Amino acid sequence: MLALINQIVDKCLAAIQEASSTQQLADIRVRFLGKSGEYTSILRGMKDVPPAEKPQMGKHINEGRERIEQALAAKESECKAAELAARLEAESIDVTLTKDLPFGSTHPVTLVLDQIIDIFVGLGFRAVEGREIESDYYNFQLMNIPLDHPARDMQDTFYVTENTLLRTHTSPMQAHTMQEEKPPIRIVVPGKVYRADDDATHSPVFHQIEGLVVDKGISLAHLKGTLDAAARALFSAETKTRFRPSYFPFTEPSVEVDCSCPLCGGKGCRLCKGTGWIEILGAGVVNPQVLINCGIDPNEYSGIAFGMGIERIAMIKYGVPDIRSLYENDVRFLKQYC
Ligand code: PHE
């Protein structure tokens, strides 16, 4: 039996020596040391060993197993290291290899927003960002929007809690800025706003840019001059603007501002529905009540404000008929505007 044990151990060690992968070693382990493995089956012969020789034989069997285990462990770590090195070599990535990767492009909404910010910065405005989750107090109350105003309805506004909501316009940043800074104030506020609206020209999330000027002697004439200059920079040097009377609780007087149709130049076309004019924003002279609400003395200061929908401008500028194409992330659509 001793001879048999030695023979199997030698055979196993030779197999281990020849193995070249962890998989082969795992197979060898099963073949020799598994439940019905060649070495394990020796134990079955123990019952025929005379009792006096049993301890000696047992020791020999254990030593043999020990030698096999050691050889397996040594070879395993050798194979593992070699396999890891091979994998690292095969799976290496050249992170500097970018030449054939397609580049993204700036989204048309971002393009238009950046362009508008640049125009107003050129006119002496500073761009500030507000928060998208606002309180009822800033979004409505300070802006002089009464309790029964339709914008306050659950149908129009996404409420987070009874007194917190997703801002419905960028106007609450008027109030934050007037509370925090002293005039002269000249800011634009680009950002996302939220309304429960969804059709070809309305999206529940869209972008606005708010403008606010507060200083001594500011009037509707400054509003007209500023928006005229902005419209010419945004569309073309020939662009005209006109004011139509309107109503916002936070401005008085309030106006809707149209510009001459950038597509037909005012002759009348499909885009302007034959009128020659396109509505681009809402604006007005800051209601003295809003100045008071925000701690500014209306006898000393006055202000003008405007709010523009960016998607609307992008749709006019690029002739996009459906607002939803701006959000579908269809690369064929988006890459036209880079
Ligand atoms: N906040 C108004 C809106 O969202 C736009 C606006 C801003 C009008 C500032 C007047 C002055 O419709």
Side-chain angles (χ1 to χ4, degrees):
M1 192 163 164
L2 271 180
L4 179 66
I5 294 171
N6 289 341
Q7 195 190 332
I8 299 178
V9 170
D10 287 345
K11 195 162 98 182
C12 184
L13 293 180
I16 293 171
Q17 217 40 57
E18 266 174 40
S20 57
S21 73
T22 48
Q23 183 54 51
Q24 283 173 6
L25 290 170
D27 293 344
I28 291 170
R29 181 182 287 280
V30 173
R31 182 174 138 209
F32 288 91
L33 302 180
K35 240 192 205 149
S36 45
E38 287 183 40
Y39 197 72
T40 318
S41 51
I42 294 173
L43 292 172
R44 258 172 259 132
M46 277 294 269
K47 65 178 184 328
D48 303 326
V49 176
E53 288 173 29
K54 270 190 179 155
Q56 184 61 28
M57 193 62 77
K59 193 166 170 247
H60 198 72
I61 291 172
N62 284 343
E63 279 167 4
R65 174 180 266 274
E66 193 59 27
R67 285 174 65 205
I68 294 175
E69 289 283 8
Q70 273 171 11
L72 272 174
K75 190 75 179 187
E76 253 163 20
S77 67
E78 199 180 293
C79 286
K80 260 194 195 146
E83 284 167 14
L84 180 63
R87 253 185 83 185
L88 286 174
E89 176 69 23
E91 295 176 9
S92 71
I93 297 168
D94 182 352
V95 291
T96 65
L97 199 69
T98 57
K99 68 181 193 316
D100 292 330
L101 290 178
F103 280 94
S105 58
T106 309
H107 193 279
V109 168
T110 309
L111 274 179
V112 171
L113 196 52
D114 285 348
Q115 195 192 349
I116 297 174
I117 293 171
D118 278 353
I119 292 170
F120 283 103
V121 167
L123 290 171
F125 287 71
R126 183 166 49 95
V128 295
E129 283 179 311
R131 53 216 89 182
E132 289 174 24
I133 297 179
E134 268 294 356
S135 60
D136 177 281
Y137 184 61
Y138 280 94
N139 196 82
F140 295 133
Q141 292 176 48
L142 286 179
M143 296 316 290
N144 197 36
I145 299 178
L147 273 169
D148 58 0
H149 194 280
R152 290 198 162 200
D153 200 282
M154 290 287 204
Q155 301 293 316
D156 297 303
T157 301
F158 295 109
Y159 282 86
V160 179
T161 65
E162 207 184 318
N163 291 313
T164 340
L165 43 85
L166 300 182
R167 66 175 176 192
T168 60
H169 52 180
T170 40
S171 304
M173 263 314 271
Q174 289 192 31
H176 285 293
T177 310
M178 285 190 272
Q179 283 182 340
E180 281 160 23
E181 297 176 17
K182 292 209 167 346
I185 292 170
R186 238 177 277 125
I187 55 155
V188 281
V189 187
K192 288 196 195 81
V193 300
Y194 302 81
R195 290 180 200 175
D197 252 353
D198 201 4
D199 60 36
T201 52
H202 296 89
S203 158
V205 190
F206 63 104
H207 297 76
Q208 280 191 337
I209 189 162
E210 187 88 8
L212 173 71
V213 177
V214 181
D215 203 350
K216 289 184 173 147
I218 295 294
S219 73
L220 199 67
H222 295 104
L223 185 64
K224 176 79 174 162
T226 306
L227 295 179
D228 240 5
R232 284 198 303 270
L234 186 56
F235 297 112
S236 76
E238 290 74 46
T239 306
K240 294 187 178 55
T241 58
R242 73 173 183 189
F243 283 8
R244 281 179 294 112
S246 185
Y247 173 76
F248 298 103
F250 34 90
T251 45
E252 180 58 37
S254 300
V255 293
E256 298 282 351
V257 180
D258 297 342
C259 70
S260 52
C261 177
L263 192 63
C264 63
K267 288 195 256 333
C269 69
R270 172 186 52 81
L271 184 65
C272 58
K273 302 200 182 78
T275 64
W277 295 96
I278 295 225
E279 184 188 320
I280 53 167
L281 59 90
V285 172
V286 176
N287 191 321
Q289 187 59 51
V290 174
L291 296 178
I292 294 169
N293 292 351
C294 301
I296 291 181
D297 181 357
N299 295 316
E300 197 178 347
Y301 293 106
S302 56
I304 52 173
F306 56 87
M308 194 184 319
I310 303 302
E311 278 78 354
R312 194 175 155 70
I313 304 288
M315 288 165 78
I316 296 167
K317 235 175 124 71
Y318 299 125
V320 178
D322 191 326
I323 195 169
R324 288 167 287 210
S325 22
L326 293 171
Y327 306 120
E328 279 163 357
N329 283 342
D330 184 334
V331 175
R332 291 165 303 179
F333 171 79
L334 294 175
K335 72 178 176 196
Q336 303 174 80
Y337 304 105
C338 41

